[in-house]
Amino acid sequence: NAGVTQTPKFQVLKTGQSMTLQCAQDMNHEYMSWYRQDPGMGLRLIHYSVGAGITDQGEVPNGYNVSRSTTEDFPLRLLSAAPSQTSVYFCASSYGGFHANTGELFFGEGSRLTVL
Amino acid sequence: KNQVEQSPQSLIILEGKNCTLQCNYTVSPFSNLRWYKQDTGRGPVSLTIMTFSENTKSNGRYTATLDADTKQSSLHITASQLSDSASYICVVSDRGSTLGRLYFGRGTQLTVWP
């Protein structure tokens, strides 16, 4: 019953450092997505994928890269961390697309990132 | 502009009482509306997902209603428990593209006191 697993749960970076947030799901979902959650704001979509080898930008993609080499994994890379990227990051997967009734999102527990 | 507005921003109730959370949206063309519960420090968990043709949907003590004409939804919690303390997020999906897009509300923070 793992569902969506995110690592690490907490991370502190210095400005300019790079890192990768890991996300894995064991539900054989085609759709995966990354969000950031900031105080007083709704969740915002960073990048998403509709299947292995296919990714696309969301609402706030700048400063982040993704790849999807397998159905299970969808890592998020911060290229050169900035204080504005301090946030809580959530990975989610779903059986169907965003508009689909089968598009119920299953979220990971989140990765809390602080950039100094 | 497609938006999702939730009210109230925060709410405190006593254990055992009922409460209703509101969600108004301007998203068009509408596809579905979801309610998620997010405990502090955890990821959101789905409560319900409703399509255009569904007026009411229940999940235990949680009942969601949808009025697609007025573009309003509500989440009613019956006989609240301490474990209901959480943020409740309304999410609306459009079908304006192949994949659609999700619009997230900012959430209602519910606190249940003993």
Side-chain angles (χ1 to χ4, degrees):
Chain A
N1 281 351
V4 178
T5 302
Q6 289 185 236
T7 57
K9 293 191 187 305
F10 301 93
Q11 183 72 48
V12 178
L13 290 179
K14 294 181 180 179
T15 297
Q17 287 184 318
S18 62
M19 77 157 298
T20 300
L21 301 178
Q22 302 291 344
C23 176
Q25 53 96 4
D26 62 359
M27 296 173 281
N28 203 30
H29 287 165
E30 289 296 325
Y31 297 85
M32 296 187 73
S33 46
W34 275 102
Y35 302 83
R36 60 178 290 172
Q37 187 174 43
D38 300 296
M41 301 185 71
L43 286 154
R44 292 183 291 170
L45 178 65
I46 304 171
H47 285 285
Y48 65 93
S49 169
V50 300
I54 307 170
T55 64
D56 207 344
Q57 295 180 352
E59 192 181 344
V60 287
N62 292 342
Y64 308 95
N65 268 0
V66 291
S67 60
R68 184 100 179 267
S69 57
T70 67
T71 299
E72 293 78 21
D73 299 300
F74 190 43
L76 178 71
R77 297 183 186 84
L78 279 71
L79 309 173
S80 178
S84 61
Q85 293 179 304
T86 294
S87 187
V88 182
Y89 292 85
F90 288 98
C91 177
S93 72
S94 62
Y95 179 75
F98 296 138
H99 67 83
N101 300 335
T102 55
E104 177 188 10
L105 293 174
F106 292 82
F107 286 89
E109 295 289 13
S111 297
R112 184 176 294 274
L113 175 67
T114 301
V115 182
L116 302 176
Chain B
K1 180 180 179 183
N2 289 326
Q3 286 185 316
V4 176
E5 300 287 343
Q6 292 186 243
S7 62
Q9 186 174 351
S10 62
L11 180 63
I12 299 174
I13 63 173
L14 294 177
E15 186 179 14
K17 299 297 185 182
N18 303 335
C19 69
T20 300
L21 313 180
Q22 300 290 342
C23 174
N24 296 338
Y25 62 93
T26 59
V27 177
S28 181
F30 175 86
S31 181
N32 58 59
L33 184 144
R34 310 126 183 253
W35 283 94
Y36 288 85
K37 178 188 179 190
Q38 184 176 21
D39 292 323
T40 301
R42 308 292 296 272
V45 174
S46 177
L47 293 176
T48 66
I49 181 169
M50 301 176 70
T51 62
F52 185 89
S53 59
E54 295 175 297
N55 301 111
T56 304
K57 203 161 191 178
S58 292
N59 179 356
R61 294 180 296 102
Y62 301 100
T63 299
T65 64
L66 173 63
D67 186 334
D69 291 331
T70 62
K71 297 188 176 181
Q72 295 180 327
S73 175
S74 65
L75 181 68
H76 186 73
I77 304 174
T78 304
S80 61
Q81 300 176 358
L82 297 179
S83 59
D84 292 330
S85 294
S87 177
Y88 291 84
I89 302 171
C90 177
V91 185
V92 181
S93 168
D94 75 6
R95 49 182 172 82
S97 59
T98 302
L99 188 62
R101 179 179 168 175
L102 296 177
Y103 296 86
F104 290 84
R106 298 182 181 185
T108 292
Q109 184 65 48
L110 174 66
T111 302
V112 180
W113 283 1

